[in-house]
């Protein structure tokens, strides 16, 4: 079977809400990492076949196919096309899948895959909110939907609460996990673990999210997001700004151009689950990916599961029996942030460079997505 190789993987630092990247146009931010990914691989940008970017809230500056505008904003050749995908929080992981699939099908040789989200500029759920305000209807208001699921609340916040209840995860459990995320992220920053993957943007050279002064005592003093609930802002991913990009190459392109692969895309899967519980799909997606890969839980050296909420990761750990030490070893979105459409590619960059730095062989990435879905990807470091 044809192979797909990751020949470069970069990301911006992740900016905090209203932080150092909040005034950057999303097209410029995405263009920055796209250009860096192509340059690092040593590829002529005119030879790129396509650009696929993930972006969740495609409104305003993030609308009208930001993959295309980002490529052009970076000053790159006009003949290279682009398309933007939305698989909610897994959008840029799906972009990687689409790029790898095109390469493995033999129809393209070099594809940029990545994502961008400037949440400071385009807040979460903006298209739905603005659409409702303009009388355009609601995503979950169709007769078919209500006949099947009723008029109950459909949100990631409710889903995360339901997961905490179903798997018996306490607020204290989530706070201890969140503290660990910050501690791991700070240790990673101090050791230079992110240096290879980060492309600074202006004066922003490092992730802005990790909080050295956080503590269980401070977390315990926060109000819950809903009355009687267990979730607080401390156990949730941070509103963030950022972009990430990878260059995916065919075996022929690697050979002809003398490229140096970082990893090969071993296995890809995507699956759906209960859209009300919403965030539990990484569990079946991981099982499916491992089965297709012919690997066991302990064969994976490094797991990246997006920390949308601490309850999501803790339920996944409980259900699958994954070693917590191999899971998000450099911290996750609770500390480092979750720039929606960019996070899939961001985590992939962290996973690939992490495997190579530590000498690991296999890595698995998965993330929960709106609508009750999850992508899972197994990569093999080279």
């Amino acid at each position: 079977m044809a192979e797909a190789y990751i020949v470069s993987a970069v990301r911006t630092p992740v900016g905090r809400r209203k932080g150092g990247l909040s005034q950057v146009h999303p097209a410029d931010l995405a263009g920055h990492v796209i250009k860096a990914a192509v340059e690092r691989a040593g590829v002529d940008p005119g030879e790129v076949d396509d650009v696929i970017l993930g972006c969740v809230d495609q409104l305003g500056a993030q609308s009208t196919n930001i993959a295309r505008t980002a490529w052009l904003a970076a000053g790159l050749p006009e003949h290279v096309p682009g398309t933007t995908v939305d698989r909610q929080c897994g959008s840029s992981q799906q972009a990687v899948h689409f790029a790898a699939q095109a390469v493995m099908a033999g129809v393209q040789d070099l594809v940029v895959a990545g994502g961008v989200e400037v949440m400071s500029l385009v807040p979460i759920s903006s298209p739905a909110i603005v659409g409702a305000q303009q009388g355009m209807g609601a995503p979950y208001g169709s007769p078919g939907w209500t006949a099947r699921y009723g008029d109950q609340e459909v949100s990631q916040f409710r889903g995360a609460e339901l997961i905490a209840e179903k798997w018996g995860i306490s607020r204290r459990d989530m706070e201890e996990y969140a503290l660990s995320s910050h501690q791991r992220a700070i240790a990673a920053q101090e050791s230079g673990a992110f240096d290879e993957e980060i492309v600074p943007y202006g004066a922003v050279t490092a992730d802005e999210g990790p909080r050295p002064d956080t503590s269980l005592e401070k977390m315990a003093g926060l109000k819950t997001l809903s009355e009687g609930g267990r979730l607080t802002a401390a156990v949730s991913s941070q509103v963030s700004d950022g972009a990430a990009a990878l260059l995916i190459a065919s075996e022929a392109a690697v050979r002809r151009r003398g490229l140096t692969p970082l990893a090969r895309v071993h296995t890809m899967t995507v699956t759906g689950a209960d859209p009300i519980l919403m965030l539990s799909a990484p569990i079946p997606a991981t099982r499916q990916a491992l089965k297709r890969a012919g690997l066991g839980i302990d064969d994976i050296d490094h797991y990246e599961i997006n920390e949308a909420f601490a309850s999501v990761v803790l339920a996944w750990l409980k259900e699958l029996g994954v070693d917590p030490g191999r899971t998000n070893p450099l911290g996750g979105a609770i500390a480092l942030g979750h720039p929606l459409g960019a996070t899939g590619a961001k985590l992939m960059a962290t996973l690939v460079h992490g495997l190579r730095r530590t000498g690991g062989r296999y890595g698995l990435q998965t993330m929960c997505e709106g609508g009750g879905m999850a992508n899972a990807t197994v990569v093999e470091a080279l």
Side-chain angles (χ1 to χ4, degrees):
M1 186 176 71
E3 302 286 3
Y5 295 99
I6 298 170
V7 295
S8 64
V10 298
R11 67 177 180 93
T12 66
V14 176
R16 294 179 68 173
R17 180 176 179 271
K18 305 301 181 185
L21 299 178
S22 61
Q23 301 301 309
V24 181
H25 194 290
D28 288 336
L29 198 62
H32 182 66
V33 288
I34 288 171
K35 192 171 185 178
V38 173
E39 288 178 348
R40 280 205 185 181
V43 167
D44 178 350
E47 296 183 349
V48 171
D49 293 302
D50 204 358
V51 179
I52 308 172
L53 292 190
C55 185
V56 175
D57 291 309
Q58 297 178 36
L59 187 72
Q62 294 182 170
S63 68
T64 321
N65 191 7
I66 195 167
R68 175 65 171 163
T69 54
W71 178 268
L72 296 176
L76 299 170
E78 290 181 344
H79 70 268
V80 177
T83 191
T84 305
V85 300
D86 173 9
R87 202 186 284 279
Q88 296 294 279
C89 294
S91 295
S92 57
Q93 186 173 0
Q94 184 62 58
V96 173
H97 283 201
F98 282 152
Q101 288 160 1
V103 163
M104 293 166 78
V107 297
Q108 294 178 328
D109 283 316
L110 292 167
V111 184
V112 171
V116 63
E117 205 89 28
V118 179
M119 299 175 74
S120 296
L121 177 65
V122 185
I124 188 171
S125 299
S126 288
I129 294 167
V130 172
Q133 291 172 344
Q134 296 298 315
M136 299 176 187
Y140 304 114
S142 78
W145 177 275
T146 54
R148 185 168 185 177
Y149 298 108
D151 60 358
Q152 60 184 308
E153 177 190 350
V154 182
S155 77
Q156 58 177 324
F157 303 104
R158 183 181 181 217
E161 286 282 8
L162 291 173
I163 286 171
E165 293 172 15
K166 180 174 180 176
W167 273 273
I169 299 166
S170 69
R171 174 173 172 172
R172 178 74 176 193
D173 292 336
M174 291 188 281
E175 288 170 343
E176 289 176 349
Y177 180 83
L179 180 61
S180 172
S181 182
H182 282 279
Q183 291 172 337
R184 290 182 178 193
I186 291 163
Q189 286 183 319
E190 291 176 347
S191 70
F194 297 130
D195 290 355
E196 192 68 20
E197 68 196 62
I198 287 181
V199 178
Y201 191 97
V204 183
T205 60
D207 298 311
E208 296 178 339
R211 297 186 176 97
D213 61 343
T214 195
S215 66
L216 292 175
E217 291 72 27
K218 288 183 178 179
M219 292 183 189
L222 297 177
K223 291 180 63 175
T224 56
L225 300 181
S226 61
E227 188 173 350
R230 310 179 192 192
L231 294 176
T232 68
V235 302
S236 310
S237 56
Q238 297 185 38
V239 172
S240 309
D241 309 319
L246 297 86
L247 185 62
I248 311 298
S250 68
E251 189 170 4
V254 167
R255 186 174 59 252
R256 286 198 306 267
R257 295 169 175 84
L259 307 179
T260 303
L262 305 177
R264 77 177 179 100
V265 179
H266 187 287
T267 306
M268 298 170 284
T269 189
V270 62
T271 192
D274 182 351
I276 305 302
L277 201 59
M278 190 177 286
L279 309 177
S280 63
I283 295 168
T286 299
R287 288 186 173 129
Q288 189 178 77
L290 289 172
K291 183 178 180 180
R292 288 186 177 178
L295 298 171
I297 289 289
D298 294 334
D299 292 323
I300 303 298
D301 300 295
H302 183 151
Y303 287 92
E304 284 289 333
I305 172 169
N306 189 38
E307 293 175 2
F309 299 90
S311 59
V312 173
V313 184
L314 291 171
W316 180 85
L317 287 167
K318 277 191 172 188
E319 192 72 24
L320 297 173
V322 174
D323 178 0
R326 300 185 189 187
T327 303
N328 300 351
L330 307 178
I334 290 172
L336 294 163
H338 176 21
L340 303 181
T343 299
K346 170 192 175 293
L347 294 183
M348 186 62 70
T350 296
L351 179 60
V352 168
H353 289 291
L355 285 170
R356 289 171 60 83
R357 188 178 59 257
T358 60
R361 182 178 181 183
Y362 292 116
L364 186 148
Q365 175 188 331
T366 189
M367 54 200 307
C368 56
E369 300 158 359
M373 302 177 291
N375 285 69
T377 316
V378 177
V379 297
E380 181 179 12
L382 300 173

